[in-house]
Amino acid sequence: MKFLLARIIGNSLPPRHNSGQTVDNLRFLLENEPTEKCFKKVFIVNRIFNLSERNEVLELLREFDAEYVEIPFSLSEYKKVSISEDELLVNRLAKPSAYSRSLANDIERIDQIESVAKNRKKIIYAMNNNGARNFVIRKYRNDYNWVLPLDGNCYFQNSSLEVLKNELLNSDTLDKCFVLPMFRLGNNINPLTAVHSSLTPCEPQLIFGSKTKFLFDEDRPYGRRPKVDLLMRLGVPGAWDNWEYPPWEKHSDLESVYRGKFSYSKSWVFRLKSGEDCQEIGKEPWVSRAKARDSAILRVLAELDQR
């Protein structure tokens, strides 16, 4: 059996990420992550629009003789993407809801969220996270028994990779996916010695069997539940079960025909630090992440529009 382990390498987006975190974490992976002959590794360079960062990433991959595929960023294609004016925005904050009431006294945050919502199509093109995940699945699903379209900051220890290898070798349910637990690491946790059982799991990664038919929804932009949408369609329980949808966002299909097409993996993966600890492991880190992410998105779009 053959497995495809893909890492999707995207842009560093301060203040959500530390400046240069893409290159720093990629170097750590290339220098420290174990290899296993069952796993074919490939890196997906995903629309990196910062030219100096892109060049550093490519030089690093070549230095380690790592296989990669680039999904290029095109400024001319970005220019064609118009501001979204569709049904998702008709009732932006007009309908009373717990969500809107919770923001009633935070005008700056409301303006930030509305600006992100209006620029949905630009975000989908520039960030391309679900597009890149589906690219991996479509490109490799026919040639590998299992495909792992992982986020770029994901890191396996020897023990977790060995557990995953044995699990996949002994599974023949190729029409399902495995739900792979993920644990975020802060600045004071060494990925080489971290113990997953002492950490709190966060949003998991997904591993796709060669006979699966479902994909990520490419109409969901970065920061707007792009992965959680598929978790919900599969019926994977989690904190997202209690999340309320902002009025402009479309709902996940909870009656999906793919509901239940998953099993839990006994392995695990770490997410290397990518921002301040308050966004990773602090008190209510998802709140800090959301604000920093939206700020980063708007900053990037302003820079790209200026270019």
Side-chain angles (χ1 to χ4, degrees):
M1 297 183 78
K2 299 187 299 180
F3 316 134
L4 191 283
L5 175 52
R7 287 317 190 327
I8 298 169
I9 310 298
N11 297 275
S12 298
L13 301 172
R16 168 60 190 97
H17 305 132
N18 295 323
S19 180
Q21 69 91 25
T22 293
V23 173
D24 292 343
N25 285 346
L26 176 59
R27 179 174 289 280
F28 182 89
L29 283 168
L30 292 169
E31 290 178 344
N32 294 284
E33 189 174 63
T35 57
E36 178 26 82
K37 64 181 181 180
C38 287
F39 290 90
K40 167 79 169 179
K41 286 187 183 182
V42 64
F43 293 86
I44 309 299
V45 182
N46 183 34
R47 289 193 183 153
I48 298 184
F49 39 72
N50 182 313
L51 297 181
S52 61
E53 185 167 62
R54 171 187 175 271
N55 291 338
E56 283 189 80
V57 165
L58 295 182
E59 288 175 8
L60 192 54
L61 291 169
R62 292 167 185 152
E63 176 187 339
F64 283 84
D65 198 27
E67 183 173 332
Y68 70 89
V69 177
E70 182 173 16
I71 302 174
F73 175 82
S74 166
L75 199 58
S76 61
E77 289 299 313
Y78 173 81
K79 190 175 180 179
K80 296 176 185 177
V81 180
S82 63
I83 287 182
S84 164
E85 294 291 353
D86 55 30
E87 69 279 1
L88 299 180
L89 304 177
V90 172
N91 299 315
R92 281 180 289 176
L93 283 173
K95 291 183 178 180
S97 66
Y99 185 91
S100 57
R101 286 195 298 271
S102 71
L103 297 174
N105 297 318
D106 193 344
I107 303 302
E108 183 179 352
R109 179 66 176 140
I110 290 174
D111 289 343
Q112 183 186 53
I113 291 173
E114 287 190 337
S115 296
V116 170
K118 280 198 243 182
N119 285 281
R120 185 173 60 89
K121 292 182 180 179
K122 288 185 178 183
I123 299 166
I124 288 171
Y125 178 79
M127 311 306 177
N128 193 45
N129 52 354
N130 274 356
R133 289 166 178 151
N134 286 346
F135 171 85
V136 171
I137 297 167
R138 292 188 180 108
K139 182 176 176 62
Y140 296 104
R141 185 161 48 189
N142 292 334
D143 297 322
Y144 293 86
N145 301 93
W146 293 95
V147 174
L148 292 74
L150 300 185
D151 295 345
N153 294 323
C154 289
Y155 168 75
F156 284 105
Q157 295 173 323
N158 274 299
S159 53
S160 58
L161 198 60
E162 182 68 17
V163 170
L164 184 60
K165 178 194 75 171
N166 292 331
E167 189 169 52
L168 297 181
L169 284 173
N170 291 306
S171 176
D172 57 1
T173 55
L174 298 177
D175 64 334
K176 295 185 178 183
C177 69
F178 272 107
V179 176
L180 177 66
M182 183 171 72
F183 299 85
R184 292 181 181 271
L185 301 180
N187 289 314
N188 296 322
I189 303 176
N190 185 343
L192 301 176
T193 58
V195 179
H196 74 282
S197 58
S198 66
L199 301 172
T200 301
C202 59
E203 184 181 310
Q205 298 287 303
L206 291 171
I207 304 171
F208 292 76
S210 59
K211 295 181 180 179
T212 54
K213 302 298 181 183
F214 41 85
L215 294 166
F216 294 94
D217 183 353
E218 294 183 31
D219 196 40
R220 290 186 179 270
Y222 169 68
R224 292 298 176 265
R225 312 180 186 185
K227 192 196 308 168
V228 163
D229 166 68
L230 182 51
L231 294 172
M232 294 182 74
R233 283 190 278 135
L234 291 170
V236 180
W240 42 87
D241 292 337
N242 298 315
W243 292 354
E244 185 177 6
Y245 287 93
W248 58 81
E249 288 186 5
K250 68 177 180 179
H251 291 213
S252 299
D253 178 13
L254 300 184
E255 303 300 324
S256 169
V257 296
Y258 301 118
R259 198 165 181 83
K261 290 283 188 180
F262 71 92
S263 299
Y264 286 103
S265 173
K266 294 180 181 178
S267 184
W268 65 95
V269 69
F270 290 121
R271 185 178 179 89
L272 300 175
K273 61 181 181 181
S274 57
E276 297 179 0
D277 270 5
C278 64
Q279 300 177 32
E280 304 296 331
I281 58 174
K283 183 180 180 181
E284 295 189 333
W286 55 90
V287 176
S288 298
R289 279 201 302 273
K291 290 182 178 180
R293 183 173 53 229
D294 287 350
S295 177
I297 287 171
L298 294 176
R299 177 187 295 183
V300 162
L301 294 184
E303 293 174 357
L304 292 176
D305 289 347
Q306 183 64 34
R307 283 170 57 182

